[in-house]
Structures are given as structure tokens and as C-alpha cells.
Amino acid sequence: MEKTLKEIVSILSSHRESYSFHLYSERGSDWTTPLQHPLFLDPTKHYEIALISLETFYSIPNIRDDNNVFVYSTDKGNSFYFLIIPVGSYELGQINDVITNDVGTLIEIKPNPATLHSIIKISDANVQLT
């Protein structure tokens, strides 16, 4: 085990200006990424790699023309208001900001990271959502 750890340290501590690591998926998507330090691997051995995290900007709109209308009432359902949220790629806090700008603090939307659901808090008994 100690020998294996020393090999890994040796591999990871090798320096070179840049290195390109090519990732391939079964579905035909090709990914290339530059690495700061090269990995020198023994070609006679079998290696596997895992993707631990991928951070990327939202590039696919989650608010579209077919789901961008927020309907609410502030008078127990006697009259309803329609808030049209512009099409875009929103995080939950940004959606909350758009609604708060229109409705005020009567409605708050926030994430529940433990369940990956959202929480809608209504602070006035007269407010209704459809």
C-alpha cells in the first residue's frame, strides 16, 4: 500500500507546462480539459477515473414561454394578477427576486438543499397562488 501511495505522489508531483486530458463518454460526447500537471501512467496497468464534480453556467433556460406565468391573488382569490417572468436561466434566488419585485415580501421562495425541493412561504392569509 505504501509503495502504491508513493507511486501516486510521484505521478501527481511531476511538473510540465500543460497537459490535455481527453474524456470520452459512451454516447459519443468528447471532452478535453487542460491539466496543470501531467499524469504519467504505466501503460501496462489498467486505470479508471471518476468525475467528482462539474460546475458550469446554466445554458439551458429553465424559465420558458410555456412555464413563465406566475399567478397570484392578494385578496383571497377575488382577483388574480399575472406576473410574466422573462425567459432565461434562473437560480431559485433570482426567481424569488423577480417575484419579490412585483409582489413584495408577501411571497418568498427559497431552496431546501436537503430535499432538493423549494419552499414557498406566504406571509399573508389573503394571498393565494394558482
Side-chain angles (χ1 to χ4, degrees):
M1 177 71 164
E2 186 175 329
K3 182 181 177 188
T4 302
L5 289 174
K6 285 181 180 180
E7 285 179 12
I8 292 171
V9 169
S10 173
I11 289 169
L12 295 177
S13 64
S14 301
H15 297 310
R16 196 169 106 188
E17 269 186 52
S18 68
Y19 184 82
S20 183
F21 197 79
H22 187 79
L23 303 172
Y24 176 77
S25 82
E26 291 293 321
R27 289 182 237 143
S29 297
D30 291 332
W31 301 55
T32 303
T33 183
L35 298 176
Q36 225 173 359
H37 305 289
L39 300 176
F40 297 103
L41 304 174
D42 183 345
T44 63
K45 295 183 179 179
H46 176 75
Y47 298 93
E48 292 182 10
I49 190 168
L51 178 64
I52 303 299
S53 175
L54 174 65
E55 294 183 22
T56 183
F57 294 103
Y58 295 114
S59 58
I60 301 171
N62 55 351
I63 300 296
R64 303 174 308 273
D65 286 327
D66 63 341
N67 69 351
N68 69 336
V69 180
F70 184 78
V71 183
Y72 66 95
S73 171
T74 57
D75 60 4
K76 294 186 176 184
N78 291 320
S79 58
F80 284 89
Y81 301 95
F82 297 82
L83 169 62
I84 298 177
I85 301 172
V87 172
S89 301
Y90 292 83
E91 292 184 14
L92 199 52
Q94 294 169 313
I95 295 172
N96 184 64
D97 291 344
V98 170
I99 292 171
T100 301
N101 286 339
D102 194 72
V103 180
T105 58
L106 297 175
I107 301 168
E108 179 185 8
I109 301 175
K110 60 184 181 179
N112 181 340
T115 62
L116 299 178
H117 290 102
S118 56
I119 299 168
I120 300 175
K121 179 181 174 186
I122 300 174
S123 60
D124 185 329
N126 293 321
V127 174
Q128 292 183 0
L129 304 176
T130 64

